[in-house]
Amino acid sequence: MPSKRWVSGLLLAGLIACGGSEPAMETAAAPATEPKDVHSYANADEVRVRHVSLDLTVDFERKVLSGATLLQIEPVDGVKPMKLVVDTRDLEIRSALASIDGVDFAETEFSLASADPILGSALTIQLPEGAKSVRVDYETSPSASGLQWLDPAQTAGKKHPFLFSQSQAIHARSWIPLQDSPGVRVTYQAVIRVAEPLRAVMSAETLDEGPREFRFQLDKPIPPYLIALAAGDIAYEAISERTGVYAEPSVVESAAKEFEDVDSMLQKAEALFGPYRWGRYDILVLPPSFPFGGMENARLTFATPTLLAGDKSLVGVIAHELAHSWSGNLVTNATWSDFWLNEGFTVYLENRIQEAVFGPQRALMEGALEVQELRDEMATLEPRDQILHVNLDGRDPDDGFTQVPYVKGMLLLRTIEKAVGRPKFDPFLRGYFDHFAFQSITTADFVAYLTQELPEAVEQVDVEAWTEEPGIPADAAIPVSHALEEVAKTRERWLSGAITVTDLPAKSWSTQEWLAFLSGLPADAGAERLAELDAAYHLSDSHNAEILSRWLLESIKRGYKPADKPLEAFLTTVGRRKFLKPLYEELAKTEAGKRRGLEIYAKARSGYHPIAQVTVDQILGYRP
Ligand code: BES
Ligand code: ZN
């Protein structure tokens, strides 16, 4: 019987928890409240998946993962569950089996509901009485929303294909049938089969390094969106004893150099927020189609290669993903309406790390730039989307992806910090991470804990107005950067003719000063002004993706023609959504621009990640 063989194979490897031989796994405490997650079909109020075992083969020819997922389940106190409902999206289910002793498996009935465009399909599996585990045999779809399959041409090496997952927010279900809710924490293990000479990496401890077979295990309970996999021609370079970089061979050395401060960030973070609880911290640098700046997968941050500016100026993103090891991965938003608990805390922590490693001036510049972005975006958002504790009923959680949870969330914490002072706020933060470690919590849980532990904060700050109302409260502790104020003054002097373009102190400007300079250019400074800057500072050739994308955006606004070619080159190689979105939006504002956008998109689309495709399809009104 194949099912039995599969399970006993894992048993032999000493991997699987079943029968009486449970390995020592850290168990998650019950969440403080039981929130309803509107983005999951799982019957987590009846039965909970506690451990996930994957056995998957990476098939680059067919662009599918195929194999089996074993779910170890536990009834919720007092419930005798008759069924297990898990989330899926575009999965081809072959069979479902259940087991009472974790050794013998028998086929059981299952039904796959019709697909909801946002949530996917509920998979309902009948449970025999006393069932302890369930196994699903399946394969993924080539268009799985949580996977991107890259052709060799889309990699740095151009020789081998590449695969990576991106599970946040609700895409884990497109490659693993599970209770895909951040309120359901699981430990996991995996066997990943991939052809030589490729390597597989995951957001877990590596037990076995191939060839052809890679084994992983994570014994800390995480929300499913942190389960991650990549496979390709991947090399490794250590940075310190507990940190290092994975990347394609031609990239790994420069990546290790760019991120060499990561151990010092980790030390500063531990001093501020308490021990790092995950063992190693590594970074995987992906090919340029990776749709985000970074993704905080457990133990293994996934990062865009556009961070490799050569001068460490963009490592704030690494500080951010590292900070998620506390805010997000250790203490997790219970639902996507509480997303600000992940991101707002993380932007605050990121800033504290930057301050500790690079000094307050850099931290204030980053903070001030973020607030500017928040203000710009806020002006375009409906009131309901300006609320931290956002209502996402009937909506895709990706719609909650604005600067609001990030920067308004950070401002709330800064405002509390300012009200009570660091000598009180810092111990509060450490206590928060200790108290809720390995739990998923709601906004209400946070407010209750704050009220109890830091009553003087809630006396001074109207926390409810912050979390439940639109806008930025008047008492917000806004970071002010004198360096960026200087930049603004200098820009005025140049625009008014008091100084010439070569008098700008730009040679000594940091990336952040350049970004502030460019984003503050007034509308009446036209293409001829950009030409002056370009002649003096070669911005159209910038190798810094943040500066280049900002430059390209200002160029579209002003019809600055020499930037046309670099714009097309950028949009056809880089797939980071944060860059694509404003550029295509700006193009779409005029008829001619929209035509141009569609022309470029026709060439670029197939290279974008499914998540980025959805975003740009919407902007250009493109129907695939
Ligand atoms: N966790 C997010 C990325 C994410 C959020 C993916 C929601 C899918 C759904 C990650 O930590 C993040 O915020 N990345 C930012 C960088 C950060 C410095 C603001 C990004 O990718 O731009
Ligand atoms: Zn984040």
Side-chain angles (χ1 to χ4, degrees):
M1 205 170 77
S3 58
K4 206 168 166 186
R5 202 164 55 235
W6 184 81
V7 172
S8 36
L10 285 178
L11 264 176
L12 281 176
L15 278 176
I16 208 157
C18 66
S21 60
E22 307 257 338
M25 299 261 182
E26 208 151 329
T27 50
T33 52
E34 291 289 347
K36 178 83 199 108
D37 181 356
V38 297
H39 295 110
S40 171
Y41 288 117
N43 58 337
D45 53 339
E46 296 180 335
V47 54
R48 292 213 160 211
V49 173
R50 305 306 296 262
H51 183 76
V52 176
S53 309
L54 306 172
D55 184 328
L56 296 172
T57 299
V58 183
D59 184 341
F60 278 109
E61 288 288 306
R62 297 174 51 235
K63 302 194 169 163
V64 302
L65 295 175
S66 94
T69 289
L70 187 75
L71 304 171
Q72 283 174 49
I73 57 175
E74 228 173 72
V76 170
D77 279 348
V79 179
K80 276 197 177 157
M82 311 279 289
K83 59 183 196 301
L84 171 69
V85 185
V86 295
D87 296 292
T88 74
R89 192 205 309 279
D90 297 331
L91 297 183
E92 180 80 33
I93 310 291
R94 290 199 210 100
S95 61
L97 300 93
S99 170
I100 291 163
D101 59 7
V103 178
D104 287 312
F105 280 77
E107 290 228 16
T108 183
E109 261 176 55
F110 69 90
S111 66
L112 193 60
S114 59
D116 175 88
I118 296 171
L119 302 180
S121 315
L123 171 64
T124 303
I125 299 162
Q126 298 306 316
L127 296 178
E129 202 180 322
K132 258 191 155 175
S133 39
V134 163
R135 183 184 126 179
V136 181
D137 290 11
Y138 66 102
E139 70 178 36
T140 61
S141 153
S143 59
S145 62
L147 300 174
Q148 191 179 11
W149 298 87
L150 301 180
D151 297 327
Q154 291 174 273
T155 67
K158 314 279 178 214
K159 274 217 199 82
H160 300 283
F162 201 103
L163 162 72
F164 65 87
S165 69
Q166 166 56 45
S167 296
Q168 198 179 14
I170 54 170
H171 303 285
R173 63 191 66 178
S174 75
W175 63 288
I176 310 172
L178 43 50
Q179 295 183 317
D180 194 8
S181 167
V184 179
R185 307 182 78 95
V186 295
T187 51
Y188 84 93
Q189 67 188 65
V191 185
I192 303 296
R193 302 165 202 281
V194 59
E196 276 187 279
L198 304 186
R199 171 190 233 156
V201 294
M202 290 194 87
S203 54
E205 192 185 334
T206 306
L207 300 181
D208 217 330
E209 264 273 76
R212 295 185 302 280
E213 224 176 83
F214 296 79
R215 282 168 197 269
F216 304 93
Q217 171 176 301
L218 186 71
D219 61 7
K220 308 275 194 295
I222 54 165
Y225 73 82
L226 294 176
I227 304 179
L229 166 69
D233 184 14
I234 298 171
Y236 180 74
E237 189 161 318
I239 293 176
S240 70
E241 196 126 326
R242 57 176 173 166
T243 66
V245 176
Y246 291 95
E248 286 191 70
S250 65
V251 177
V252 74
E253 200 181 318
S254 59
K257 192 95 197 75
E258 195 85 25
F259 302 145
E260 69 184 0
D261 293 321
V262 67
D263 198 272
S264 130
M265 288 183 182
L266 187 45
Q267 288 172 38
K268 301 286 189 195
E270 288 194 293
L272 285 166
F273 318 127
Y276 178 76
R277 313 230 198 179
W278 307 91
R280 296 194 55 82
Y281 179 77
D282 292 313
I283 300 163
L284 169 68
V285 178
L286 290 139
S289 71
F290 184 62
F292 295 103
M295 175 64 215
E296 67 274 23
N297 297 313
R299 291 170 61 102
L300 181 64
T301 282
F302 282 20
T304 168
T306 61
L307 301 185
L308 305 177
D311 60 1
K312 303 183 187 176
S313 64
L314 306 179
V315 297
V317 174
I318 298 299
H320 178 97
E321 306 314 331
L322 174 66
H324 273 304
S325 306
W326 288 264
S327 45
N329 300 7
L330 189 59
V331 181
T332 308
N333 53 212
T335 76
W336 297 115
S337 290
D338 308 301
F339 184 53
W340 80 272
L341 288 178
N342 274 19
E343 298 300 342
F345 267 78
T346 298
V347 173
Y348 176 83
L349 265 52
E350 163 201 343
N351 212 262
R352 294 293 303 270
I353 295 172
Q354 295 232 65
E355 180 187 308
V357 178
F358 302 114
Q361 173 163 328
R362 165 89 169 258
L364 284 171
M365 281 198 293
E366 300 259 21
L369 282 172
E370 286 158 358
V371 170
Q372 191 51 52
E373 282 179 49
L374 171 68
R375 290 215 158 105
D376 293 346
E377 187 170 16
M378 208 59 133
T380 71
L381 294 176
E382 300 171 48
R384 66 167 187 172
D385 288 329
Q386 302 179 8
I387 294 171
L388 281 182
H389 183 216
V390 62
N391 183 341
L392 292 172
D393 288 6
R395 303 170 72 189
D396 190 324
D398 281 353
D399 291 354
F401 195 100
T402 69
Q403 296 292 323
V404 172
Y406 285 79
V407 184
K408 185 176 171 184
M410 174 271 277
L411 286 176
L412 167 55
L413 295 177
R414 255 184 143 258
T415 305
I416 296 171
E417 177 210 297
K418 190 172 166 214
V420 303
R422 278 191 183 176
K424 282 194 178 151
F425 189 66
D426 286 1
F428 164 80
L429 263 185
R430 286 185 73 125
Y432 169 81
F433 292 125
D434 265 346
H435 183 79
F436 292 114
F438 299 107
Q439 291 189 52
S440 301
I441 67 166
T442 61
T443 300
D445 294 329
F446 163 73
V447 175
Y449 184 77
L450 179 73
T451 308
Q452 186 188 309
E453 296 298 316
L454 218 49
E456 57 270 56
V458 290
E459 276 158 27
Q460 297 173 73
V461 181
D462 186 349
V463 179
E464 170 134 345
W466 271 90
T467 60
E468 309 297 332
E469 288 170 24
I472 305 174
D475 64 342
I478 304 286
V480 176
S481 162
H482 297 297
L484 295 193
E485 288 178 342
E486 271 314 303
V487 168
K489 283 188 204 143
T490 316
R491 186 181 49 228
E492 281 324 301
R493 298 183 62 220
W494 169 58
L495 290 168
S496 68
I499 58 170
T500 67
V501 74
T502 47
D503 294 332
L504 291 169
K507 286 275 179 297
S508 64
W509 276 347
S510 63
T511 297
Q512 287 69 31
E513 287 165 295
W514 263 116
L515 293 174
F517 178 84
L518 294 173
S519 57
L521 282 172
D524 62 3
E528 64 297 345
R529 285 301 195 169
L530 298 192
E532 274 180 61
L533 288 169
D534 214 5
Y537 305 109
H538 312 291
L539 291 155
S540 295
D541 303 325
S542 173
H543 293 294
N544 183 306
E546 289 282 351
I547 293 177
L548 181 61
S549 74
R550 175 49 75 171
W551 173 252
L552 295 172
L553 182 67
E554 301 307 323
S555 298
I556 301 169
K557 288 184 194 166
R558 294 167 176 80
Y560 177 62
K561 287 283 158 213
D564 281 4
K565 272 223 175 79
L567 174 66
E568 177 162 343
F570 188 76
L571 290 176
T572 48
T573 47
V574 175
R576 186 172 168 188
R577 197 171 63 165
K578 167 185 166 186
F579 295 148
L580 303 184
K581 192 167 177 265
L583 291 172
Y584 281 109
E585 275 172 352
E586 197 56 44
L587 285 170
K589 283 183 186 165
T590 66
E591 269 309 309
K594 189 164 177 183
R595 238 177 294 125
R596 182 123 195 283
L598 279 164
E599 264 166 45
I600 297 175
Y601 192 44
K603 297 178 210 166
R605 187 177 188 277
S606 67
Y608 291 167
H609 188 283
I611 295 174
Q613 289 180 349
V614 169
T615 303
V616 183
D617 286 355
Q618 267 168 20
I619 294 169
L620 295 177
Y622 179 94
R623 256 176 232 115

